[in-house]
Amino acid sequence: MSNKKNKEVQKESSESEEEQDSGSERDSDFDSDGNFVGDKELQADFEGRNPEDCDFHGIKQLLRQLFLKSNVDLGALAQIIISQNYIGSVVKQCLDDGQDDDDDDDDGSDGVFGITTVINITKRKEEHCIKQVRQLLTALANDNADDRAKALVNKILSDDANHVGLVINERILNIPAAISVPLFASLQNELDKALKKKMPYSFQYLVWICKTYKTSENNKKLRLIKFNVYFIDDESEVLFANQEEKPLVEEALASFDVDVTEQAELSQWDYDGGAMTPCRKVLIFEGSKFNQLVRLLKEEVENV
């Protein structure tokens, strides 16, 4: 299977063909990490591809968005994702006609807009970065979960008979949720093929870490200033960075929230009704529910 297999194309249309703004205005459209956060729409085509060596820095940067300053070797974790490139996808921008995919002037490392994959953190438990991930999950549960969730985390990580998959679903801001549908459909197919080959991707449990934001007020329709995300219900106090993950919470065996204010560069993000505190919601599922989770996230995207 070619590592450069085109899995899906997602197109975003520009609202106008206005001339470029001044240098200072352009700079204000990007945050400190270089992510576009302006209110103009950009035209771009995206596709899902198997991870490659040239994606290392881009994948590592996306992992940093999720894990922040946690004690996890993100470089080693990115290498694992690339090493199992038959499972999962990176989101890349489609090349223009005539542009060489192997252009020597650009190794593509900065062109990774998303990553969707799953890692067996039981089979790989002796690898240093996976040990760190497992220790992190245990510590987060001990500090933040109720007794039931805490017991479940300790159970699934202490019994090697229960293989645990860590689902990673991360992308930069402004990439629409719709792109998650073909990415997870591809992941389903890849897992099915791996299982037919007796590869270790049969999971008794899945751990899914979602980026969320807690709001200071309820019963208000929220709109983030400078960020085109609207993934919150009128009566909810939790906003999901990835819209498609919102309906998955009800399917979880257990879940708990972690306040990451001290690790985030911006402790509170403003919207036109208050402020938001950055958090992580850790979800634990039965592994057999994966296909159902994919169906739910597809329905969520289609109903927007």
Side-chain angles (χ1 to χ4, degrees), residues 215-223 230-239 271-275:
T215 66
S216 58
E217 301 177 34
N218 293 336
N219 305 317
K220 299 192 72 172
K221 191 68 176 179
L222 310 181
R223 181 186 185 279
Y230 305 84
F231 312 142
I232 189 166
D233 293 331
D234 287 346
E235 298 182 355
S236 173
E237 62 174 5
V238 177
L239 181 146
Y271 65 90
D272 58 1

Side-chain angles (χ1 to χ4, degrees), residues 10-253:
Q10 176 71 35
K11 189 171 185 178
E12 284 297 287
S13 298
S14 174
E15 288 183 344
S16 67
E17 298 295 333
E18 296 178 357
E19 295 182 355
Q20 293 183 342
D21 296 328
S22 66
S24 61
E25 289 174 330
R26 287 198 304 271
D27 291 343
S28 66
D29 284 340
F30 294 84
D31 65 13
S32 59
D33 292 326
N35 292 326
F36 178 78
V37 295
D39 56 6
K40 291 183 179 180
E41 292 187 16
L42 302 179
Q43 180 174 320
D45 293 336
F46 298 101
E47 63 185 2
R49 295 186 181 185
N50 301 107
E52 302 178 84
D53 289 338
C54 66
D55 299 323
F56 171 80
H57 293 292
I59 294 173
K60 183 179 177 181
Q61 181 64 25
L62 289 168
L63 293 173
R64 184 176 291 113
Q65 290 184 180
L66 181 63
F67 289 99
L68 297 175
K69 299 177 182 178
S70 299
N71 183 31
V72 175
D73 185 342
L74 301 181
L77 194 59
Q79 289 286 14
I80 287 177
I81 291 172
I82 294 169
S83 72
Q84 56 165 46
N85 63 358
Y86 44 85
I87 297 291
S89 308
V90 292
V91 178
K92 305 288 289 277
Q93 187 170 354
C94 297
L95 298 176
D96 294 333
D97 291 340
Q99 186 174 348
D100 189 352
D101 200 26
D102 295 320
D103 193 340
D104 292 336
D105 294 332
D106 182 7
D107 66 359
S109 62
D110 294 329
V112 180
F113 293 86
I115 175 69
T116 299
T117 190
V118 61
I119 300 172
N120 189 329
I121 63 173
T122 304
K123 182 71 174 180
R124 294 179 175 268
K125 70 173 188 174
E126 296 304 323
E127 298 185 46
H128 181 62
C129 66
I130 299 300
K131 284 184 179 180
Q132 292 176 317
V133 169
R134 291 166 62 92
Q135 291 168 357
L136 175 65
L137 291 172
T138 300
L140 292 178
N142 289 337
D143 292 342
N144 300 277
D146 59 25
D147 290 342
R148 178 174 171 274
K150 190 185 306 182
L152 181 58
V153 171
N154 289 322
K155 172 189 173 183
I156 67 176
L157 294 180
S158 62
D159 184 358
D160 290 348
N162 293 319
H163 280 218
V164 179
L166 174 66
V167 179
I168 297 176
N169 180 41
E170 188 65 25
R171 59 181 180 268
I172 67 169
L173 291 168
N174 296 78
I175 299 296
I179 203 168
S180 66
V181 175
L183 294 178
F184 274 99
S186 178
L187 183 58
Q188 280 181 302
N189 292 333
E190 290 163 343
L191 289 173
D192 287 343
K193 291 178 181 179
L195 289 175
K196 290 178 181 178
K197 296 179 181 179
K198 308 298 183 183
M199 302 177 76
Y201 290 95
S202 177
F203 300 113
Q204 282 67 50
Y205 296 97
L206 295 170
V207 175
W208 196 315
I209 304 175
C210 306
K211 288 194 307 187
T212 61
Y213 305 91
K214 285 192 174 181
T215 66
S216 58
E217 301 177 34
N218 293 336
N219 305 317
K220 299 192 72 172
K221 191 68 176 179
L222 310 181
R223 181 186 185 279
L224 279 174
I225 297 174
K226 295 181 70 178
F227 293 86
N228 298 323
V229 286
Y230 305 84
F231 312 142
I232 189 166
D233 293 331
D234 287 346
E235 298 182 355
S236 173
E237 62 174 5
V238 177
L239 181 146
F240 283 78
N242 292 339
Q243 172 191 11
E244 70 275 9
E245 295 172 346
K246 184 171 63 175
L248 307 186
V249 178
E250 295 183 0
E251 300 297 321
L253 289 171

